[in-house]
C-alpha cells in the first residue's frame, strides 16, 4: 500500500494535499505536479511511502532541479513509484550505457521478431535491477535546513512520512489528507 502527499511551505506554514501519482510517469512530471501546489515557488515536498518497505522525499524549490532521497533503492526499484525517483543520475549510472546495447542486434533476428526480443528485454531489465544498491540513495541533506538532519533521516524507517511531518511541525496538516 502506498501513500503520497504534497507539503507546500507557505507564509502561513505548511499546507498538505494528498496526490494521485497514477498520471505521473517521470521525475519531471512529479516536479511539475509539485510546482503546481505552490504558485509562489515556495518549497514543496513530495512524500511517498510504501508500508514498511521504503520511503522517498522529493524537494522542489521553485524552478530548481528536484532533490531526491530514497530510503532503500532496491526496495523502491520494485515499485512503479520508486522507479520514477530512481533516475540514472541518482544511481550514478551513465544514461547512455543502455542505449548502445539496445541499438545492437546481438541475436541476429530482424526487427519485428518479438518473442526472442521480449526475452532479451526482460533479461536486461533484471540485470539493471541488480545494479540498484540496497539502502539509501540521494541527497540525505534534503531536509537539513528544515530541521531534519542527515542522521535522523537515515534512521527513519517505519512511518517515516509521519516522522518527517512531525519534525516540520506539519503533522496535523498531513493527517488531514491521510
Amino acid at each position: 500500500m502506498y501513500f503520497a502527499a504534497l507539503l507546500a511551505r507557505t507564509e502561513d506554514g505548511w499546507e498538505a494535499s494528498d496526490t494521485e501519482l497514477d498520471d505521473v510517469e517521470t521525475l519531471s512530471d512529479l516536479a511539475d505536479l509539485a510546482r503546481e501546489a505552490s504558485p509562489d515557488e515556495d518549497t514543496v515536498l513530495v512524500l511517498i511511502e510504501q508500508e514498511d518497505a521504503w520511503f522517498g522525499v522529493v524537494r522542489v524549490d521553485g524552478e530548481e532541479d528536484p532533490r531526491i532521497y530514497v530510503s532503500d533503492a532496491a526496495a523502491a526499484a520494485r515499485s512503479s513509484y520508486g522507479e520514477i525517483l530512481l533516475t540514472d543520475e541518482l544511481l550514478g549510472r551513465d544514461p547512455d550505457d543502455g542505449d548502445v546495447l539496445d541499438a545492437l542486434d546481438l541475436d541476429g533476428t530482424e526487427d519485428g521478431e518479438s518473442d526472442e526480443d521480449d526475452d532479451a528485454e526482460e533479461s536486461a531489465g533484471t540485470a539493471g535491477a541488480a545494479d540498484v544498491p540496497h539502502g539509501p540513495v540521494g541527497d540525505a541533506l534534503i531536509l537539513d535546513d528544515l530541521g531534519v538532519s542527515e542522521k535522523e533521516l537515515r534512521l527513519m524507517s517505519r512511518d517515516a512520512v509521519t516522522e518527517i511531518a512531525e519534525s516540520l511541525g506539519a503533522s496535523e496538516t498531513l493527517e488531514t489528507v491521510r
Side-chain angles (χ1 to χ4, degrees):
M1 179 176 213
Y2 292 94
F3 175 72
L6 296 172
L7 281 179
R9 187 165 65 178
T10 67
E11 291 176 3
D12 301 325
W14 292 96
E15 291 182 8
S17 59
D18 64 345
T19 186
E20 189 62 47
L21 298 179
D22 291 343
D23 295 332
V24 174
E25 295 179 8
T26 65
L27 180 60
S28 181
D29 293 343
L30 187 60
D32 290 344
L33 183 69
R35 287 184 184 103
E36 290 172 12
S38 178
D40 296 331
E41 296 189 8
D42 292 320
T43 298
V44 178
L45 302 175
V46 180
L47 306 173
I48 303 171
E49 70 180 359
Q50 180 182 10
E51 282 185 359
D52 298 332
W54 67 275
F55 71 92
V57 179
V58 177
R59 179 176 177 162
V60 178
D61 293 301
E63 291 299 317
E64 292 181 29
D65 288 340
R67 295 167 56 193
I68 306 164
Y69 176 82
V70 176
S71 66
D72 186 337
R78 294 185 295 269
S79 151
S80 59
Y81 297 136
E83 288 178 347
I84 293 169
L85 306 181
L86 297 175
T87 63
D88 288 331
E89 181 180 344
L90 188 73
L91 296 172
R93 294 180 185 160
D94 183 359
D96 296 328
D97 286 349
D99 295 340
V100 173
L101 292 175
D102 290 343
L104 296 176
D105 180 17
L106 299 176
D107 64 0
T109 60
E110 297 292 324
D111 287 340
E113 294 182 25
S114 62
D115 289 343
E116 292 179 12
D117 290 345
D118 290 345
D119 292 343
E121 286 176 18
E122 288 175 19
S123 300
T126 305
D131 296 345
V132 178
H134 290 273
V137 295
D139 184 355
L141 297 172
I142 193 169
L143 301 173
D144 195 55
D145 65 323
L146 300 174
V148 180
S149 71
E150 174 181 2
K151 182 179 178 181
E152 291 170 315
L153 190 61
R154 289 188 187 271
L155 290 174
M156 291 180 185
S157 57
R158 290 181 160 243
D159 220 12
V161 168
T162 300
E163 290 179 43
I164 291 168
E166 286 174 3
S167 297
L168 300 174
S171 57
E172 288 181 23
T173 304
L174 183 66
E175 285 304 313
T176 62
V177 298
R178 224 181 229 277

